[in-house]
């Protein structure tokens, strides 16, 4: 399969370049600069060299042996590195040029097909090119920098000092498309859905015999991973959905229904009691998380041991998890995954069919595999469940209180058409008591926090700007309907510095 390689020199945008290329119908992979193979496979038809946090004099080296072998799009740091190596020069400035700039195209280039001049681009660099490498020609400038882009035709290098991959570069996608299709000659047409057969075939090859088990969380990733494995090995797959008692109202039923709809063999294990027993008396967030994780593993292990010939554990690890784990080549289980430690304890081989896909691609796979739209658009939900949304001790009564308030908030959002305009929305229960009046009685009820955030990947977030009318309607209904709640507040914190969850 034809593909593009994106070499990461330590830019915060590297993964975004991969995403954008895939959006344009070309399969792309991210390779860290210090783990490059010596040989460029024929399937790699184009290279993108990323920016970097470092300045040219102190930063990582580019793979010189690859230069000239394939067309290269060099972004920012890489454009500067190539300039200095080829006899040009770069000045290091201490002031970072950061933000929008107007790019003026000064010479024709295949990169500029359908790009108007001037066009807005996004800059983020501190070094700047002051003279170009031998054999190159300038093709664009901005008011502040004379060589905002250049070409080195002999070596098929196209270099830009701005970031085409960020949305603030108006014609960034067109520029990337030009590089891929006009310059590298990709055929395109890559779509994650077209990979399904291939994924299933390779799963079959890697699981020749024995059973596979999956800890189903109700999330999209574990579900799509399980469907693929089930398609590959049929009844040799068995999923377990552990109902911890810490799920939202109606969630366990909804999730089991979705599994049934796609014919996935998943057994629901009702285990409220052991979770509540383990959580009794605990108020420290870390201890609560650990307790939930420990009980989860014990129950799952017990179930899996009752099945004969279990060899594999299916996990919904996705591409950003793999890349964030550091090497870019191997995944470590996310520490917050409930199954941490299980593969070793049961000597199971880890099966991760989604390790090369992004979240939105997993959604596309799920859609193709027949998962209902409602299931695909669910908000993310943390593994330890409502335990991390209840500050203080987790008791069945407090879980019931939070569930009811959370369901009311979701109902109001849905009625007003805001549920899917927010990336994640939920209620939190605080033990803070305050005075209120219920009927003729004074009461000292607990506090509900409403939280709704906008985000793309959960790494950063800002509060969803919910209309006041929605917030006050949710507050009114919660105060009227949920016993022992005296106050409702809205959380306006951004991430960073706050996190999305409260614990
Ligand atoms: P934070 O609170 O770290 O959350 O800003 C970022 C995103 O991750 C989810 N989250 C978790 N997911 N297990 C999970 O599977 C966890 O322990 C966990 N903690 C946070 C959170 O809901 C948000 O979407």
């Amino acid at each position: 399969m034809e593909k593009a390689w994106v070499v990461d020199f330590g830019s915060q945008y590297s993964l975004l370049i991969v995403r954008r290329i895939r959006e344009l119908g070309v399969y792309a992979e991210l390779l860290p600069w210090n783990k490059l193979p010596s040989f460029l496979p024929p399937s790699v038809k184009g290279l993108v060299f990323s920016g970097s946090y470092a300045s040219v004099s102190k930063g990582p080296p580019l793979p010189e042996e690859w230069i000239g072998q394939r067309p290269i799009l060099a972004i920012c740091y890489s454009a500067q590195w190539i300039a200095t190596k080829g006899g040009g020069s770069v000045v290091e400035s201490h002031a970072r040029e950061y933000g929008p700039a107007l790019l003026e195209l000064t010479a024709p280039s295949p990169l500029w097909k359908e790009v108007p001049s001037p066009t807005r681009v996004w800059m983020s660099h501190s070094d700047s090119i002051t003279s170009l490498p031998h054999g190159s020609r300038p093709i664009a400038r901005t008011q502040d920098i004379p060589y905002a882009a250049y070409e080195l035709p002999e070596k098929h290098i196209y270099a830009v000092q701005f970031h085409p991959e960020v949305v603030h570069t108006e014609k960034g996608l067109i520029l990337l498309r030009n590089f891929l299709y006009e310059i590298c000659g990709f055929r395109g047409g890559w779509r994650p859905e077209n990979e399904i057969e291939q994924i299933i075939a390779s799963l079959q090859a890697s699981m020749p015999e024995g059973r596979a088990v999956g800890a189903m969380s109700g999330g999209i990733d574990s579900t799509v991973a399980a469907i693929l494995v089930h398609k590959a090995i049929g009844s040799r797959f068995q999923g377990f959905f552990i109902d911890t008692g810490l799920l939202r109202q109606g969630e366990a039923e909804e999730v089991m229904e979705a599994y049934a709809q796609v014919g996935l063999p998943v057994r629901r294990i009702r285990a409220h009691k052991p979770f509540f027993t383990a959580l009794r008396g605990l108020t420290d967030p870390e201890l609560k998380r650990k307790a939930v994780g420990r009980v989860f593993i014990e129950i799952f292990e017990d179930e899996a041991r009752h099945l004969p010939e279990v060899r594999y554990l299916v996990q919904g690890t996705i591409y950003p998890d793999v890349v964030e784990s550091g090497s870019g080549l191997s995944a470590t289980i996310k520490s917050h995954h409930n199954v941490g430690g299980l593969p070793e304890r049961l000597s199971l081989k880890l099966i991760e069919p989604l390790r090369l896909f992004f979240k939105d691609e997993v959604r596309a796979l799920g859609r193709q595999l027949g998962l209902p739209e409602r299931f695909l658009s669910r908000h993310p939900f943390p593994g330890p469940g409502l335990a991390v949304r209840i500050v203080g001790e987790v008791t069945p009564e407090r879980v019931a209180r939070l569930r009811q308030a959370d369901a009311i908030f979701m109902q109001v959002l849905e009625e007003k058409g805001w549920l899917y305009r927010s990336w994640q929305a939920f209620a939190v229960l605080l033990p803070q008591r305050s005075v209120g009046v219920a009927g003729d009685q004074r009461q000292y009820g607990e506090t509900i926090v409403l939280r709704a955030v906008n985000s793309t990947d959960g790494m950063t977030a800002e509060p969803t700007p919910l209309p006041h009318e929605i917030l006050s309607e949710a507050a009114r209904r919660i105060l009227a309907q949920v016993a022992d709640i005296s106050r409702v507040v809205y959380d306006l914190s951004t991430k960073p510095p706050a996190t999305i969850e409260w614990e």
Side-chain angles (χ1 to χ4, degrees):
M1 175 176 55
E2 57 168 24
K3 59 172 103 161
W5 271 1
V6 177
V7 182
D8 178 22
F9 295 97
S11 157
Q12 55 173 327
Y13 300 126
S14 300
L15 203 54
L16 199 55
I17 306 173
V18 177
R19 272 186 80 125
R20 293 280 177 265
I21 296 177
R22 291 198 194 176
E23 274 168 34
L24 288 163
V26 169
Y27 182 68
E29 288 172 349
L30 189 69
L31 284 83
W33 68 271
N34 55 349
K35 299 241 166 67
L36 299 180
S38 52
F39 167 74
L40 266 178
S43 56
V44 176
K45 287 171 67 177
L47 297 167
V48 179
F49 291 168
S50 83
S52 174
Y53 60 88
S55 67
V56 166
S57 58
K58 299 183 199 79
L62 267 60
E64 282 185 78
E65 64 282 11
W66 287 4
I67 292 179
Q69 288 196 39
R70 301 286 192 284
I72 292 172
L73 177 66
I75 297 174
C76 240
Y77 167 84
S78 298
Q80 294 153 359
W81 196 93
I82 291 169
T84 54
K85 276 282 160 181
S89 54
V90 165
V91 283
E92 283 186 30
S93 110
H94 294 294
R96 197 168 177 82
E97 187 183 7
Y98 184 82
L102 263 190
L103 185 79
E104 194 191 319
L105 312 183
T106 53
S109 163
L111 217 47
W112 301 151
K113 190 179 168 192
E114 290 172 29
V115 178
S117 178
T119 180
R120 198 165 287 282
V121 296
W122 187 258
M123 293 285 181
S124 172
H125 60 98
S126 43
D127 298 355
S128 186
I129 300 173
T130 45
S131 67
L132 288 182
H134 305 308
S136 65
R137 61 188 198 106
I139 55 171
R141 54 171 296 125
T142 70
Q143 198 177 0
D144 298 323
I145 53 174
Y147 307 119
Y150 67 86
E151 266 182 21
L152 229 168
E154 212 176 279
K155 296 193 169 141
H156 306 293
I157 293 174
Y158 297 80
V160 296
Q161 288 203 82
F162 55 90
H163 288 275
E165 69 276 20
V166 305
V167 289
H168 311 290
T169 294
E170 261 170 9
K171 300 294 175 188
L173 265 186
I174 294 185
L175 188 153
L176 287 173
R177 185 201 66 193
N178 290 341
F179 174 70
L180 297 168
Y181 291 97
E182 304 293 322
I183 296 168
C184 303
F186 277 100
R187 269 171 287 135
W190 183 84
R191 291 170 65 202
E193 304 91 296
N194 300 346
E195 298 297 303
I196 290 177
E197 272 177 36
Q198 171 60 34
I199 300 170
I200 292 174
S202 74
L203 284 171
Q204 279 164 340
S206 57
M207 291 188 278
E209 52 189 12
R211 275 174 214 275
V213 289
M216 314 292 299
S217 67
I220 298 171
D221 305 343
S222 64
T223 306
V224 173
I227 297 176
L228 289 166
V229 170
H230 182 236
K231 287 212 178 288
I233 64 167
S235 60
R236 286 194 285 132
F237 171 78
Q238 178 65 52
F240 297 102
F241 174 68
I242 301 182
D243 179 355
T244 58
L246 301 166
L247 299 168
R248 287 164 293 187
Q249 194 162 293
E251 189 165 26
E253 293 71 22
E254 220 175 274
V255 162
M256 288 304 296
E257 217 172 279
Y259 294 152
Q261 203 164 326
V262 289
L264 203 58
V266 179
R267 199 139 65 72
R268 174 175 175 180
I269 300 158
R270 287 167 217 263
H272 300 194
K273 215 164 158 205
F275 283 97
F276 283 120
T277 307
L279 286 164
R280 193 175 295 147
L282 299 184
T283 53
D284 179 86
E286 254 329 280
L287 293 181
K288 282 159 55 176
R289 271 173 188 270
K290 287 215 170 89
V292 174
R294 189 189 69 239
V295 176
F296 192 98
I297 286 182
E298 281 166 11
I299 294 174
F300 187 82
E301 199 173 346
D302 195 42
E303 294 293 330
R305 279 196 199 285
H306 280 91
L307 281 179
E309 298 192 355
V310 176
R311 303 248 166 94
Y312 315 99
L313 177 70
V314 181
Q315 207 185 299
T317 316
I318 64 173
Y319 200 55
D321 307 335
V322 176
V323 174
E324 273 161 25
S325 78
S327 72
L329 298 170
S330 76
T332 47
I333 297 179
K334 265 204 261 182
S335 56
H336 62 241
H337 269 243
N338 285 320
V339 290
L342 256 186
E344 296 78 23
R345 284 169 65 157
L346 293 176
S347 0
L348 298 179
K349 187 174 163 209
L350 211 51
I351 299 289
E352 301 171 310
L354 303 176
R355 51 184 287 124
L356 295 178
F357 294 95
F358 287 99
K359 191 87 184 177
D360 48 341
E361 296 170 344
V362 174
R363 266 201 197 97
L365 293 175
R367 195 166 285 125
Q368 183 77 15
L369 292 164
L371 280 170
E373 209 52 48
R374 204 184 148 78
F375 183 87
L376 291 168
S377 48
R378 292 171 69 220
H379 289 174
F381 186 67
L386 299 181
V388 293
R389 293 182 179 170
I390 293 179
V391 177
E393 189 181 359
V394 180
T395 62
E397 298 72 34
R398 295 189 77 211
V399 169
R401 203 171 293 150
L402 174 59
R403 264 200 187 142
Q404 197 187 349
D406 184 78
I408 293 171
F409 186 30
M410 295 307 109
Q411 175 72 34
V412 173
L413 288 175
E414 181 143 43
E415 282 171 18
K416 309 278 184 190
W418 274 79
L419 187 57
Y420 301 114
R421 289 171 73 179
S422 180
W423 188 78
Q424 190 176 15
F426 54 91
V428 175
L429 180 66
L430 303 186
Q432 175 65 51
R433 291 190 177 266
S434 59
V435 71
V437 180
D440 295 333
Q441 301 264 319
R442 277 162 76 86
Q443 68 161 13
Y444 288 93
E446 296 192 309
T447 306
I448 283 289
V449 179
L450 304 180
R451 179 95 164 122
V453 294
N454 291 354
S455 176
T456 47
D457 47 17
M459 306 291 287
T460 60
E462 34 192 289
T464 304
L466 290 177
H468 193 272
E469 158 215 345
I470 293 182
L471 291 170
S472 46
E473 176 63 13
R476 192 187 63 73
R477 287 198 213 169
I478 290 169
L479 289 170
Q481 294 173 27
V482 186
D484 207 24
I485 296 295
S486 301
R487 218 151 283 257
V488 177
V489 300
Y490 188 49
D491 181 350
L492 285 171
S493 325
T494 55
K495 174 182 181 175
T499 52
I500 296 176
E501 302 290 347
W502 271 58
E503 286 195 336

